[in-house]
Amino acid sequence: MDKKNIKETHYEVLNVKEDANYEEIRASYRSAALSLHPDKLLKTSDTSSSDQAISEKFLKVHKAWEILSDATSRLIYDKELKNSRREDFLASEVAEDLRLQDMTVEDAGESETLEWFYQCRCGDYFSVDSLELQKIGYSLVRDENSISIFILNVDTLPGSVILPCGSCSLKVRLVLSMDNS
Ligand SMILES: [Zn+2]
C-alpha cells in the first residue's frame, strides 16, 4: 500500500461505511456501476472529454467491489488499511514511551473498569481504560496490589498503543507487555 499517497479507500470509492455489510456494499456498487457503465455513456451526447475519467472511475468501482465483496480479500484489505493508518499515526509526534506502571491508575471502586492517567506537558492528560485495552486484545486481572496483563487475542495484538492527549497534539506510546514487573 502506498502510504505517501493519501488515496481513496475502496470504501470511499463505493461510498459506504467501513462497517457496511455485504448487502449495503452490493447495493452501493450496483448503483455506482449503473451510473458509470460504458453502455449508458453511449446514450448521452458530448461525453468525450470526460470519457476517460468516467472509465477510470468505473474501473475503480469495479476493483473496490471485487475486493470488498469477497470476505477473505476484504479482511486482508481491512488489515492493510489498519496497518497503514497505524504507521501514519505512529510517525506523527510521540512525546515519550510509557508503561502502565508509569501511569496513575484510577480505580472506580467496585467497577471492573480501571482507568490510567498520565499528565501531559499542557496540563491535560493521556488516558486509557481497561475496556479500550480489552478491545485491542489485552485483558487485565487484578489481585491485591498489582495488575497483570493477559493476552486475549494473539492475532490482533499490537505491542503498543498510542494515546493522544485530551487537549493538545502530543501523544505517548504505551508499551504493553505480559510481565507485570
Ligand atoms: Zn497535552
Side-chain angles (χ1 to χ4, degrees):
M1 219 179 204
D2 190 359
K3 288 189 289 280
K4 299 278 186 292
N5 215 340
I6 297 172
K7 56 180 186 177
E8 272 182 307
T9 67
H10 292 323
Y11 294 100
E12 284 161 356
V13 168
L14 291 180
N15 197 25
V16 291
K17 288 186 185 155
E18 292 188 11
D19 61 357
N21 63 32
Y22 179 83
E23 295 303 325
E24 291 165 333
I25 293 170
R26 188 175 63 173
S28 195
Y29 164 69
R30 283 181 142 177
S31 71
L34 214 60
S35 68
L36 294 167
H37 199 276
D39 288 351
K40 182 155 182 169
L41 297 179
L42 293 175
K43 292 173 197 150
T44 61
S45 56
D46 191 29
T47 54
S48 51
S49 58
S50 57
D51 267 2
Q52 182 73 12
I54 290 173
S55 65
E56 272 171 25
K57 174 86 178 148
F58 181 75
L59 287 175
K60 262 166 56 173
V61 163
H62 188 70
K63 177 78 185 160
W65 165 246
E66 254 179 20
I67 291 186
L68 299 184
S69 61
D70 179 81
T72 309
S73 61
R74 183 179 177 184
L75 207 67
I76 293 167
Y77 177 70
D78 283 348
K79 214 164 189 173
E80 278 175 7
L81 206 57
K82 207 173 132 194
N83 283 342
S84 83
R85 281 175 183 158
R86 194 165 70 206
E87 279 162 30
D88 287 349
F89 197 35
L90 286 171
S92 55
E93 193 177 0
V94 171
E96 57 188 300
D97 284 0
L98 291 180
R99 290 167 64 92
L100 274 182
Q101 295 90 319
D102 301 324
M103 302 179 81
T104 308
V105 64
E106 188 160 287
D107 195 336
E110 297 301 303
S111 160
E112 291 288 304
T113 311
L114 290 173
E115 192 161 13
W116 287 265
F117 294 95
Y118 188 79
Q119 193 164 27
C120 176
R121 276 178 239 163
C122 76
D124 203 348
Y125 291 88
F126 304 100
S127 72
V128 66
D129 67 39
S130 49
L131 292 178
E132 291 168 68
L133 291 175
Q134 238 167 51
K135 266 189 223 157
I136 60 165
Y138 289 93
S139 175
L140 297 152
V141 173
R142 271 189 287 180
D143 47 45
E144 280 137 55
N145 43 24
S146 72
I147 295 154
S148 311
I149 301 176
F150 291 91
I151 293 174
L152 290 175
N153 185 345
V154 176
D155 289 342
T156 59
L157 200 67
S160 62
V161 195
I162 302 294
L163 308 178
C165 170
S167 295
C168 74
S169 64
L170 286 177
K171 299 173 183 74
V172 289
R173 189 196 326 262
L174 173 62
V175 179
L176 294 158
S177 66
M178 288 267 282
D179 64 277
N180 61 334
S181 54

